[in-house]
Amino acid sequence: MKTVNPLLIIMLALGVFGIITTEMGIVGVLPQITQKFNITTSQAGLLVSIFALIVAISGPFLTLLASGINRKVILLTSVFMFTISNIMYACTTKFDIMLAFRILPAIFHPVFFSIALVTAAKIVPPEKSNQAVTKVFAGITFGFAFGVPLTSYFAEKFSLETAFLFGAVVNAIAFVGILLWLPSMPNEEKMSYGKQLGILRKPGLWLNIAAVMFIFAAMFSVYSYFAEYFGQLTHMNGSLISVMLMAFGLVMIFGNFLFGGFLRKSITKTVIMFPLLYIVIYLFAYYLGSYLIPMILMVFIWGIVHSGGLIVSQTWLTTEANEAPEFGNSLFVSFSNLGITIGVSIGGWFISHLGIHQLMWSGIVFALLAFFLIMIKIKISSSNVEGVNVA
């Protein structure tokens, strides 16, 4: 293939960064949103859960439909929608309009993510494809490390409008870079719909999907209300919360490598360990929630484990989707976001009915459900292997 500008990979990663900043940056500014629109915390949480629900519903189907469209057109359309949506967040004074413009970019989220990874692999020599994909995937981690806390910082130091315009600028830069440097990429290797959908007939895949869904529910039922929890219970001010969000994201970078190493040693042991680690963290956060120094320390441990949820879940699900890896990745994006939707909704219910301190129990319940499903899947797999050996 014709040599491409090396900055194109950075632009694709920046697009992923912009998507995560748009999706999760809301988490750090929920207190300001509740004040601006005079709504409750659980109502503001809809901005997270609606986005995730739309991703969950549309992901696999739109990925299938987009598989025959020019990749450059898809990427540009997706980033453009994210840019426009951030501008609308900054301009609107009506919560309903803001909610509507959470739906629009959510439709394009899974499509951009899946296509960006494929594109990164296609535009470099085969021996460098894995490295290119890793760089684009890093946009997720950097979104949590810098995008989310910077959004919170701009809202605290300047205004909520400035925070959202930051997201618009990031996506606009990615749009220009992709427009200038990505050549036209018609898809000439389309896999049939039937072959991709065939993996859905595997019972083991659905057990893995359910476990992944509950893992993400456990993660985001609490993380989505990070700013509220630390503000109300630990009595952190907005500036310190921004710093904590950045620290959380930075240690996620280390956590990716750590859990990647664990997975290389043993996928099964790592997957079993993960929900148990989260239960321990939430118990500590529950009992130490009103103490500043212990909670600051907990943020670092929490961030490391949180990052593991992404790679652990993706690995666990795709072990059952080897026949159609791209469609398998779209299932991961879809059902992980369904898990986020469920988690945010239940987390909001805990806050509304039981108080902010009880939020941690929603995460613990989901982590337990994930653990039980993982153990059931492992037990069934072991029984099948034993049955084959006996036969």
Side-chain angles (χ1 to χ4, degrees), residues 218-337:
M219 292 164 61
F220 286 91
S221 63
V222 178
Y223 176 78
S224 298
Y225 301 100
F226 185 103
E228 291 288 330
Y229 192 83
F230 282 89
Q232 293 184 33
L233 195 67
T234 317
H235 304 296
M236 292 184 183
N237 60 33
S239 297
L240 184 53
I241 289 172
S242 297
V243 172
M244 289 296 96
L245 281 166
M246 182 167 286
F248 189 96
L250 286 172
V251 296
M252 281 182 65
I253 298 172
F254 169 72
N256 274 333
F257 290 104
L258 180 66
F259 278 90
F262 289 156
L263 287 167
R264 284 192 292 274
K265 291 180 181 178
S266 174
I267 292 176
T268 301
K269 290 179 181 178
T270 304
V271 173
I272 292 172
M273 173 181 65
F274 182 78
L276 298 179
L277 284 175
Y278 240 113
I279 290 170
V280 172
I281 286 171
Y282 284 156
L283 286 172
F284 273 104
Y286 177 79
Y287 288 107
L288 300 175
S290 59
Y291 299 96
L292 180 61
I293 301 303
M295 286 304 290
I296 289 175
L297 296 175
M298 282 304 304
V299 165
F300 288 88
I301 302 171
W302 184 3
I304 290 172
V305 176
H306 188 87
S307 69
L310 305 176
I311 189 170
V312 168
S313 298
Q314 194 266 352
T315 302
W316 186 239
L317 194 153
T318 54
T319 54
E320 287 285 345
N322 292 328
E323 302 91 337
E326 289 182 20
F327 184 59
N329 276 327
S330 75
L331 291 174
F332 166 70
V333 173
S334 179
F335 283 97
S336 62
N337 276 274

Side-chain angles (χ1 to χ4, degrees), residues 117-136:
L117 293 178
V118 173
T119 301
K122 294 284 185 181
I123 62 177
V124 297
E127 65 273 14
K128 294 184 178 180
S129 61
N130 287 339
Q131 185 181 2
V133 170
T134 299
K135 288 179 180 178
V136 174

Side-chain angles (χ1 to χ4, degrees), residues 51-280:
F51 192 106
L53 179 61
I54 297 301
V55 173
I57 294 171
S58 66
F61 304 106
L62 287 179
T63 302
L64 283 173
L65 291 174
S67 60
I69 302 173
N70 189 304
R71 292 187 178 113
K72 182 172 183 176
V73 173
I74 295 171
L75 293 173
L76 287 174
T77 303
S78 301
V79 178
F80 179 76
M81 291 302 178
F82 273 83
T83 304
I84 293 300
S85 296
N86 275 286
I87 292 172
M88 289 303 300
Y89 303 156
C91 295
T92 188
T93 56
K94 296 184 181 296
F95 181 69
D96 290 345
I97 292 177
M98 187 173 185
L99 201 58
F101 275 87
R102 291 295 285 173
I103 295 171
L104 187 63
I107 293 171
F108 291 91
H109 175 293
V111 178
F112 180 90
F113 184 77
S114 300
I115 300 300
L117 293 178
V118 173
T119 301
K122 294 284 185 181
I123 62 177
V124 297
E127 65 273 14
K128 294 184 178 180
S129 61
N130 287 339
Q131 185 181 2
V133 170
T134 299
K135 288 179 180 178
V136 174
F137 201 87
I140 296 177
T141 303
F142 279 89
F144 279 102
F146 300 106
V148 175
L150 281 174
T151 301
S152 176
Y153 175 81
F154 287 136
E156 177 70 19
K157 290 298 182 182
F158 302 101
S159 67
L160 193 59
E161 291 74 21
T162 303
F164 292 131
L165 288 176
F166 162 67
V169 169
V170 168
N171 284 288
I173 294 172
F175 178 90
V176 173
I178 294 169
L179 177 65
L180 293 177
W181 297 320
L182 180 65
S184 178
M185 293 187 68
N187 191 351
E188 300 170 350
E189 302 173 0
K190 183 180 176 182
M191 185 184 294
S192 71
Y193 293 154
K195 186 172 182 181
Q196 294 180 74
L197 291 169
I199 65 173
L200 297 177
R201 292 194 292 266
K202 300 169 67 175
L205 175 65
W206 287 102
L207 279 173
N208 286 21
I209 284 173
V212 166
M213 190 170 64
F214 284 130
I215 285 174
F216 271 78
M219 292 164 61
F220 286 91
S221 63
V222 178
Y223 176 78
S224 298
Y225 301 100
F226 185 103
E228 291 288 330
Y229 192 83
F230 282 89
Q232 293 184 33
L233 195 67
T234 317
H235 304 296
M236 292 184 183
N237 60 33
S239 297
L240 184 53
I241 289 172
S242 297
V243 172
M244 289 296 96
L245 281 166
M246 182 167 286
F248 189 96
L250 286 172
V251 296
M252 281 182 65
I253 298 172
F254 169 72
N256 274 333
F257 290 104
L258 180 66
F259 278 90
F262 289 156
L263 287 167
R264 284 192 292 274
K265 291 180 181 178
S266 174
I267 292 176
T268 301
K269 290 179 181 178
T270 304
V271 173
I272 292 172
M273 173 181 65
F274 182 78
L276 298 179
L277 284 175
Y278 240 113
I279 290 170
V280 172

